[in-house]
Amino acid sequence: MKNFRITLPVIVFSQFCGISLWFASNGVMNDLITNFNLTDSALGHLTSAVQFGFITGTLLFAILTIADRFSPSKVFLISAILGALFNIGVIWEGNSLTSLLSFRFLTGFFLAGIYPVGMKIAADYYEKGLGKSFGFLVGALVIGTALPHLLKGITDVFSWKSVLFTTSALAMLGGFLMIALVPNGPYRKPGINIDLSAFFKVFRNSNFRKAAFGYFGHMWELYAYWAFVPVMLKTYNNLHPQTGFNISVWSFLIIAIGGLACVLAGYIAKIVGTKRTAFIALLLSCVCCLISPWIFDINFESMFLAFLLFWGAVVIADSPLFSTLVAQNASPELKGTALTIVNCIGFSVTILSIQIINGMRELTNSNSIYALLALGPVLALIALSRKNKTTTPNSA
């Protein structure tokens, strides 16, 4: 067996590379709008296309129990290569909104073989300290998600197409590193045959349900916030003409700071407890949603940016903790499928919240629309507060 000391860094780096495909179109959205004569609403539609593709992929992967029946590293590699190829399709000069949506849908579909499968690989290696491992893994997801914004912000001398080529090259690199350096983990259970009831079987555990519902509420807020961070920055610039910050770079920083928050949350959870730490992070992000309408009126640019940075940290800090609770409360032979199912439903929720915010932006110029993001966290906090007969694992 290979040296386990390099395993987690390889998984984390490979996850970072693969996930960079996720917001690749968002990082160059203004260029897409200009080059393909799109409307401003394309932001919400293209983001939702990736989410819908991911949902479709995770649903199919879950029904066919792909992550449990086949070598996760091979699934990761194949998904990374195909996702990268469809990501490059966006540069085709003959694209219309329909073809762009199709390419982003297919990219999202194969992300289903990267994000939850990467978590499955980590779970196969780290039975103890899973919360900390997931903290690093989700941290890589966050930074990978933010990367296209940074590439766009610091590479204005290059074509926007270079952002898409770079993210695709990174995804392929991550896939090859995973297959070369991360074999099947020691805690991987033998694969099972296709079990069409697996999608429902995992929810029989009440502790699993609580963790899953917490995750769903968290997802209502998360991707809508990430998708509209550039819009929030642009809105503040328009309301306060004296400001002139680089929207792409600040979008990267606001999203990427969540990666550090995920790692920190993993360590805090070892002291405070996984569920309690997730609850606190979710509560803080809920508060950010509720007070967000007033933050645009503040004339202090530094205070506005500090608020978005704080929100960017707490909005994702609970994600690895909910995934830890999901993995801990799933049957070992269905762990990969359980993680995939929860991801499938969670990302279904993101489409609804993104489209609602997108639709509200077309109806009103009010910044109060972002307070709607609090709905998910509120329901999740209620679900987590409910008591049941058995004890939820409290540490990772």
Side-chain angles (χ1 to χ4, degrees):
M1 185 67 67
K2 296 182 182 296
N3 192 338
F4 281 9
R5 287 180 297 179
I6 71 167
T7 301
L8 183 59
V10 171
I11 297 174
V12 169
F13 182 72
S14 297
Q15 186 85 309
F16 159 76
C17 291
I19 292 300
S20 66
L21 300 174
W22 210 306
F23 268 37
S25 63
N26 293 67
V28 295
M29 183 58 65
N30 289 334
D31 298 278
L32 295 180
I33 289 174
T34 301
N35 282 273
F36 298 110
N37 297 315
L38 306 177
T39 63
D40 289 341
S41 63
L43 168 63
H45 299 323
L46 288 172
T47 303
S48 292
V50 181
Q51 309 300 83
F52 187 56
F54 182 82
I55 292 161
T56 306
T58 50
L59 180 61
L60 184 61
F61 277 46
I63 291 174
L64 300 179
T65 59
I66 298 293
D68 293 303
R69 293 170 55 220
F70 301 100
S71 169
S73 296
K74 292 180 181 178
V75 175
F76 191 101
L77 170 64
I78 294 171
S79 299
I81 292 174
L82 293 174
L85 292 176
F86 286 116
N87 183 58
I88 292 175
V90 173
I91 72 173
W92 178 43
E93 293 183 359
N95 273 320
S96 62
L97 178 59
T98 301
S99 61
L100 288 170
L101 290 172
S102 298
F103 281 126
R104 294 309 290 160
F105 170 87
L106 291 168
T107 301
F109 182 93
F110 288 106
L111 280 166
I114 296 176
Y115 176 37
V117 173
M119 298 180 75
K120 157 67 175 171
I121 294 171
D124 287 343
Y125 273 89
Y126 301 96
E127 191 172 50
K128 295 182 178 180
L130 187 58
K132 184 175 71 173
S133 301
F134 275 4
F136 282 103
L137 202 58
V138 178
L141 176 148
V142 175
I143 298 175
T145 298
L147 180 64
H149 291 292
L150 178 63
L151 291 175
K152 180 57 183 173
I154 66 176
T155 60
D156 286 337
V157 295
F158 301 107
S159 166
W160 58 272
K161 297 178 181 179
S162 64
V163 175
L164 298 171
F165 276 116
T166 300
T167 51
S168 289
L170 282 173
M172 290 187 182
L173 173 62
F176 284 113
L177 286 175
M178 190 74 86
I179 195 69
L181 300 175
V182 185
N184 292 334
Y187 298 108
R188 181 172 183 252
K189 299 297 181 182
I192 60 175
N193 296 324
I194 295 177
D195 182 1
L196 299 180
S197 67
F199 198 99
F200 305 98
K201 189 182 297 182
V202 293
F203 283 96
R204 293 175 184 171
N205 184 316
S206 60
N207 291 317
F208 179 92
R209 289 198 302 271
K210 288 176 64 176
F213 291 149
Y215 180 79
F216 302 154
H218 143 82
M219 290 296 284
W220 169 271
E221 175 192 9
L222 176 62
Y223 273 82
Y225 176 69
W226 280 353
F228 289 99
V229 160
V231 175
M232 293 180 186
L233 291 167
K234 184 177 180 179
T235 299
Y236 189 84
N237 262 347
N238 293 338
L239 291 173
H240 307 273
Q242 72 276 13
T243 62
F245 37 70
N246 187 316
I247 291 177
S248 294
V249 171
W250 276 106
S251 295
F252 166 78
L253 293 173
I254 291 165
I255 296 173
I257 196 172
L260 298 177
C262 287
V263 174
L264 180 61
Y267 282 98
I268 293 175
K270 291 180 68 66
I271 301 171
V272 178
T274 304
K275 181 181 174 182
R276 187 176 303 161
T277 307
F279 188 95
I280 293 171
L282 191 60
L283 178 62
L284 290 174
S285 65
C286 181
V287 172
C288 288
C289 295
L290 294 173
I291 67 176
S292 62
W294 291 279
I295 199 69
F296 291 91
D297 297 326
I298 295 177
N299 287 319
F300 298 101
E301 175 185 340
S302 57
M303 186 176 295
F304 175 75
L305 293 173
F307 173 80
L308 291 186
L309 285 166
F310 178 77
W311 195 358
V314 296
V315 75
I316 185 63
D318 49 0
S319 189
L321 306 179
F322 284 128
S323 295
T324 299
L325 292 171
V326 165
Q328 287 177 337
N329 288 289
S331 301
E333 70 277 8
L334 287 174
K335 190 175 295 183
T337 298
L339 287 167
T340 306
I341 289 170
V342 170
N343 273 268
C344 175
I345 299 174
F347 280 88
S348 299
V349 173
T350 68
I351 289 184
L352 185 59
S353 60
I354 289 171
Q355 288 300 323
I356 287 177
I357 297 298
N358 201 46
M360 293 295 290
R361 285 184 61 237
E362 296 181 355
L363 295 175
T364 177
N365 292 324
S366 173
N367 293 314
S368 298
I369 59 176
Y370 300 113
L372 294 173
L373 296 179
L375 178 61
V378 167
L379 295 176
L381 290 168
I382 293 173
L384 290 171
S385 299
R386 296 183 62 184
K387 298 185 180 297
N388 48 22
K389 296 179 181 180
T390 55
T391 303
T392 302
N394 200 36
S395 60

